[in-house]
Amino acid sequence: MDSAPASETSRSDPRYVRASVRTAVKILIVGHFAVGKTTYVGTLSEIRPLRTEERMTQAGATVDDLAGIRDKTTTTVAMDFGRLTLSDDLVLYLFGAPGQQRFTRLWDDLARGALGALILVDTARLKESFDVMDLVEKQGLPYAVAVNHFDGSPVFPDAEVREALDLAPGTPLVTCDARDRRSSTEALISLVDHLLTLDRESA
């Protein structure tokens, strides 16, 4: 039985990057514990996502605050990884970083080579986003903020969320549902547009 040439295989097999791609961009997907990062990467990735989840145990109950979090049984201990092709010549590599403080030593490696970060937040736990935002800013990464919609979470006007998070006027703020591919893609595009704007301004 004849096999297809490698070039033909790479064009038709979604595991391979398209031959037309000329630009690959590394993006961090970050946020506090249990904000939906793993779900977000899994929703968008066109390949089977790499996940490093471990089951949470009673021993971790004093470390990870599960107050107000339902059905949370696993946590990311290293990273999530996915890939999304935005156009014929542009592919995004998505790296989800764990949100707990004890994993922040991983950030130096995960942030290396990244062009920006999408920060997921939950309106019911906005104050938990501050440490993550500090880490992103210490890495010198431009970012956009996406409010991940949770059933039952309070809804606030954008102006109030901006004030609560002390966002700079030019920082994009959008709303998404990490389970929904369309809204998650739109959130990511808002970050890419922001990065392109910053690049043009610095040219």
Side-chain angles (χ1 to χ4, degrees):
M1 181 176 179
D2 294 334
S3 59
S7 58
E8 293 182 11
T9 302
S10 63
R11 284 196 295 269
S12 60
D13 192 328
R15 293 175 299 175
Y16 294 90
V17 176
R18 297 177 189 173
S20 60
V21 168
R22 295 292 178 266
T23 305
V25 176
K26 181 180 182 181
I27 298 293
L28 292 189
I29 308 299
V30 300
H32 58 71
F33 172 63
V35 77
K37 301 178 294 294
T38 297
T39 299
Y40 185 91
V41 172
T43 295
L44 282 182
S45 182
E46 62 198 16
I47 59 174
R48 183 177 180 179
L50 169 66
R51 291 172 173 163
T52 57
E53 288 190 303
E54 294 292 340
R55 182 165 295 278
M56 300 179 67
T57 64
Q58 190 62 36
T62 58
V63 180
D64 297 323
D65 184 6
L66 294 175
I69 302 171
R70 295 175 297 178
D71 304 322
K72 179 69 172 174
T73 60
T74 62
T75 187
T76 299
V77 296
M79 68 173 186
D80 299 305
F81 172 77
R83 190 188 76 207
L84 176 64
T85 301
L86 278 188
S87 66
D88 286 340
D89 62 353
L90 175 62
V91 65
L92 304 182
Y93 291 109
L94 311 177
F95 287 78
Q100 298 99 310
Q101 283 291 310
R102 66 184 185 278
F103 295 126
T104 55
R105 285 183 294 178
L106 296 170
W107 276 59
D108 286 340
D109 290 331
L110 290 177
R112 188 172 295 114
L115 291 191
L118 183 68
I119 302 176
L120 298 183
V121 302
D122 176 6
T123 54
R125 298 180 292 151
L126 284 179
K127 65 180 181 180
E128 295 182 30
S129 302
F130 297 152
D131 288 341
V132 173
M133 294 175 70
D134 285 344
L135 284 170
V136 172
E137 291 175 355
K138 286 177 182 177
Q139 293 291 341
L141 294 175
Y143 60 87
V145 174
V147 176
N148 187 18
H149 176 71
F150 286 87
D151 296 336
S153 289
V155 177
F156 300 111
D158 285 356
E160 292 186 18
V161 176
R162 283 187 170 278
E163 182 177 0
L165 296 176
D166 194 24
L167 297 182
T171 302
L173 174 65
V174 298
T175 299
C176 76
D177 183 336
R179 302 163 296 184
D180 178 71
R181 185 174 180 83
R182 181 173 180 177
S183 71
S184 295
T185 300
E186 290 173 352
L188 199 57
I189 289 174
S190 73
L191 170 62
V192 174
D193 286 343
H194 181 51
L195 296 178
L196 291 173
T197 298
L198 294 177
D199 185 60
R200 288 193 294 269
E201 292 175 350
S202 63

